């Protein structure tokens, strides 16, 4: 879901609308005094922002970026162009397009009742700015971007491991600076931290004040040394497509194009599959396991499809989208455009039976629970292939915390390049919920492996008495 949350009144007659992009774990914001508006960190599909402004009857006069984003393509430049708004970025960020350069302490008088104050908060990036929203009676909140998040901070290694410790020290100092200079009642409006891999660790909560964060956020409760050690030790891999986002945002993203891709007929789909191209099944994994075209990859719209596809593919590889409806294909286009994938080889709509060139293309995938795995490990596979291999495709941190005893670990984002490392025999594959495991099962099937999908929550493994090991 990608929605605009409830209109939230703030002190001094200001209000903030939250525009959520849950598929990427990010939020954008529209702040208004009831007549004019400021937009912070908009996603590339700016029609959502324009719709919110239209619904509220306000004029967008200022668009702000807290930093050059690494996890999505910004819509800020195009939004400013379409609305005539000023486009504010850190003065230290060198870009080839016109913008309003902002520096630490600079105040933008948006109206008689609303102003924004830029605060240098390096850490997530070197030139990161937070923006304090001020009304008639002073600060009401702060847009913290990738600085202070709910219960955590933005990660500090996106500009290279060589900078991660230095940036972690900056991140701690930036959080302390916000805490020292703003009232405890100030609201915090972060861009990241709702599932985004831009978070140093998993964020917690849906809203927060600065005073609340002073009690729980490691950047505000730990010493600098403790915070740096904890932050660096907790960092895990981040999506490969991040390498392309900063480049696009710095050069100036192109306007969004959501025109429908060319339609592929069954024979063309078969040809693309035979050539090993990415043909992505957008249906739910429950539908996928019942029937699908051989060679397709399951990345349903009921999960973070864009994140995992963008992480797994070779950048620029041809992609064909398969959906049950034109609306599904359109939704996938929108989500993928947010990470800079906006050109597709083709698309097709229909059921697997309708899209198959012949019945020989149709496949199904056996599915099981962790209870079934426990029984199979005990010698009762209940008609399913006996497990020769238990494959865990979760992240390194997830596997390191706890895993099935004896499981082989290959994170999903590495699987296509490491299929040869999966031992011979029948593979029972799992993740944390079933979504990534279904994608992995589709890759394994295409490689000719015998697969059983464990479509279950990992927490159920302990309840089912599956043998588990803590730590690596």
């Amino acid at each position: 879901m990608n929605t605009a949350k409830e209109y939230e009144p703030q002190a001094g007659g200001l209000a903030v609308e939250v525009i959520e992009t849950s598929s990427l774990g990010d939020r954008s914001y529209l702040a208004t005094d009831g007549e004019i508006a400021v937009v912070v960190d908009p996603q590339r599909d700016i029609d959502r922002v324009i719709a919110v402004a239209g619904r509220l009857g306000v004029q967008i006069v200022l668009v702000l970026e807290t930093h050059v984003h690494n996890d999505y393509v910004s819509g800020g430049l195009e939004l400013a162009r379409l609305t005539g708004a000023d486009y504010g970025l850190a003065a230290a960020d060198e870009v080839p397009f016109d913008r309003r350069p902002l520096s630490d302490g600079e105040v933008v008088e948006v109206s008689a009742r609303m102003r924004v104050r830029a605060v240098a908060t390096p850490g997530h990036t070197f030139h990161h700015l937070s923006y304090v929203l001020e009304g008639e009676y002073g600060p009401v909140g702060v847009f913290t971007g990738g600085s202070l998040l709910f219960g955590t901070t933005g990660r500090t290694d996106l500009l290279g491991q060589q900078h991660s410790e230095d940036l972690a020290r900056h991140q701690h100092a930036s959080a302390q600076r916000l805490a020292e200079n703003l009232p405890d009642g100030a609201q915090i409006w972060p861009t990241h931290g709702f599932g985004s891999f831009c978070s140093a660790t998993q964020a917690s909560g849906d809203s927060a004040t600065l005073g609340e964060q002073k009690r729980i956020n490691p950047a505000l409760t730990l010493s600098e040394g403790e915070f740096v050690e904890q932050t660096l030790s907790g960092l895990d891999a981040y999506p490969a497509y991040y390498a392309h986002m900063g480049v696009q945002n710095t050069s100036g993203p192109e306007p969004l194009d959501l025109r429908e891709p060319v339609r592929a007929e069954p024979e063309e789909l078969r040809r693309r599959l035979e050539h090993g191209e990415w043909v992505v099944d957008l249906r739910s994994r429950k539908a996928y396991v019942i029937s699908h075209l051989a060679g397709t990859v399951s990345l349903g719209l009921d999960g973070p499809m864009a994140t995992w596809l963008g992480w797994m593919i070779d950048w620029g590889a041809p992609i064909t989208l398969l959906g049950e409806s034109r609306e599904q294909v359109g939704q996938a286009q929108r989500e993928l455009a947010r990470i800079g994938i906006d050109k597709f080889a083709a698309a097709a709509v229909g059921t697997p039976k309708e899209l198959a060139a012949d019945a020989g293309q149709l496949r199904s995938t056996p599915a099981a629970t962790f209870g079934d795995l426990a029984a199979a490990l005990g010698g009762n596979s209940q008609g399913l292939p006996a497990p020769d291999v238990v494959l865990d495709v979760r992240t390194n941190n997830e596997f390191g915390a706890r895993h099935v005893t004896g499981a082989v670990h290959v994170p999903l984002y590495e699987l296509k390049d490491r299929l040869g490392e999966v031992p011979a025999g029948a593979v029972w594959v799992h993740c944390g919920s079933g979504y990534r495991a279904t994608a992995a099962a589709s890759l394994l099937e295409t490689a000719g492996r015998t697969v059983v999908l464990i479509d279950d929550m990992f927490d159920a493994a302990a309840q089912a008495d599956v043998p588990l090991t803590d730590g690596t």
Side-chain angles (χ1 to χ4, degrees):
M1 291 292 291
N2 305 288
T3 58
K5 296 174 75 70
E6 185 179 353
Y7 195 54
E8 301 178 8
Q10 303 296 325
L14 306 184
V16 175
E17 187 92 3
V18 181
I19 303 168
E20 192 157 17
T21 305
S22 56
S23 57
L24 292 180
D26 290 324
R27 287 179 175 178
S28 306
Y29 299 92
L30 183 148
T32 179
D33 65 358
E35 295 180 0
I36 61 175
V38 177
V39 174
V40 181
D41 289 344
Q43 291 272 339
R44 193 179 185 190
D45 49 332
I46 57 174
D47 55 334
R48 293 186 296 158
V49 180
I50 293 171
V52 170
R55 172 168 55 83
L56 300 177
V58 298
Q59 179 186 359
I60 298 170
V61 298
L62 180 63
V63 179
L64 299 171
E65 303 282 11
T66 56
H67 60 292
V68 175
H69 301 285
N70 284 283
D71 65 329
Y72 66 86
V73 178
S74 172
L77 181 61
E78 183 65 9
L79 181 61
R81 284 173 176 164
L82 288 179
T83 61
D86 282 347
Y87 188 31
L89 286 78
D93 285 325
E94 297 181 3
V95 294
F97 46 82
D98 290 337
R99 93 292 196 206
R100 178 169 183 167
L102 296 173
S103 301
D104 182 44
E106 189 168 346
V107 176
V108 180
E109 297 283 351
V110 185
S111 74
R113 292 174 291 171
M114 180 170 63
R115 58 188 174 274
V116 222
R117 176 162 47 93
V119 179
T121 47
H124 190 49
T125 65
F126 282 106
H127 305 147
H128 190 286
L129 295 176
S130 294
Y131 298 103
V132 178
L133 180 66
E134 298 179 348
E136 296 178 80
Y137 307 107
V140 296
V142 56
F143 300 103
T144 56
S147 183
L148 190 65
L149 313 184
F150 296 155
T152 185
T153 58
R155 63 189 304 151
T156 63
D157 59 341
L158 295 181
L159 302 183
Q161 289 289 344
Q162 70 273 25
H163 300 301
S164 57
E165 181 175 343
D166 187 25
L167 284 171
R169 297 187 188 282
H170 283 304
Q171 193 75 295
H172 184 266
S174 293
Q176 295 286 330
R177 184 184 186 196
L178 291 174
E180 291 166 3
N181 290 284
L182 292 173
D184 283 358
Q187 291 288 322
I188 294 173
W189 298 299
T191 300
H192 305 311
F194 310 94
S196 168
F197 281 90
C198 275
S199 298
T201 57
Q202 182 64 46
S204 59
D206 192 56
S207 63
T209 64
L210 191 55
E212 291 166 347
Q213 288 301 294
K214 285 181 177 179
R215 295 192 294 272
I216 65 167
N217 197 300
L220 300 175
T221 61
L222 299 179
S223 68
E224 180 191 82
E226 292 170 327
F227 172 78
V228 170
E229 181 180 0
Q230 182 185 92
T231 297
L232 298 184
S233 65
L235 293 174
D236 203 345
Y238 55 82
Y241 69 82
Y242 279 23
H244 306 278
M245 300 299 95
V247 175
Q248 290 195 42
N249 287 325
T250 301
S251 62
E254 293 294 320
L256 182 60
D257 182 357
L258 291 177
R259 285 177 293 183
E260 188 174 358
V262 63
R263 286 293 182 93
E265 298 301 323
E267 283 295 342
E268 183 184 348
L269 286 178
R270 174 156 66 179
R271 179 183 63 79
R272 292 186 178 281
L273 288 164
E274 288 174 348
H275 281 79
E277 293 186 15
W278 285 86
V279 180
V280 182
D281 192 321
L282 302 169
R283 299 172 302 143
S284 73
R285 65 181 185 272
K286 304 294 185 184
Y288 183 88
V289 299
I290 295 171
S291 180
H292 57 267
L293 297 184
T296 54
V297 178
S298 173
L299 286 169
L301 288 168
D302 54 341
M305 177 272 300
T307 294
W308 291 106
L309 180 58
W311 202 336
M312 291 193 293
I313 64 166
D314 296 320
W315 199 253
I319 298 170
T320 298
L321 302 174
L322 301 187
E324 293 174 311
S325 64
R326 295 176 66 180
E327 288 74 22
Q328 271 195 345
V329 171
Q331 182 183 343
Q333 285 181 259
R334 179 180 290 266
E335 295 203 3
L336 288 167
R338 293 172 184 152
I339 63 166
I341 299 175
D342 52 11
K343 293 179 174 59
F344 300 93
V349 172
T351 65
K353 185 175 181 180
E354 292 168 337
L355 298 177
D358 59 63
Q361 281 188 277
L362 297 176
R363 298 285 187 276
S364 61
T365 303
T369 65
F370 277 107
D372 296 327
L373 175 62
L377 292 173
N380 179 16
S381 57
Q382 305 174 69
L384 294 168
D388 297 301
V389 184
V390 176
L391 177 64
D392 186 332
V393 296
R394 296 176 301 156
T395 63
N396 296 317
N397 283 353
E398 289 174 293
F399 182 83
R402 201 175 205 196
H403 57 266
V404 175
T405 302
V408 173
H409 178 231
V410 182
L412 175 61
Y413 52 84
E414 296 179 353
L415 183 59
K416 76 176 179 68
D417 297 319
R418 296 178 57 190
L419 285 167
E421 298 178 29
V422 180
V427 182
W428 286 50
V429 59
H430 80 86
C431 62
S433 65
Y435 184 87
R436 288 171 287 175
T438 310
S442 64
L443 293 175
L444 289 159
E445 282 182 353
T446 300
R449 302 299 300 270
T450 298
V451 185
V452 175
L453 163 66
I454 303 175
D455 189 5
D456 203 354
M457 300 297 293
F458 183 70
D459 289 346
Q463 299 168 12
D465 293 326
V466 174
L468 300 174
T469 298
D470 292 332
T472 54

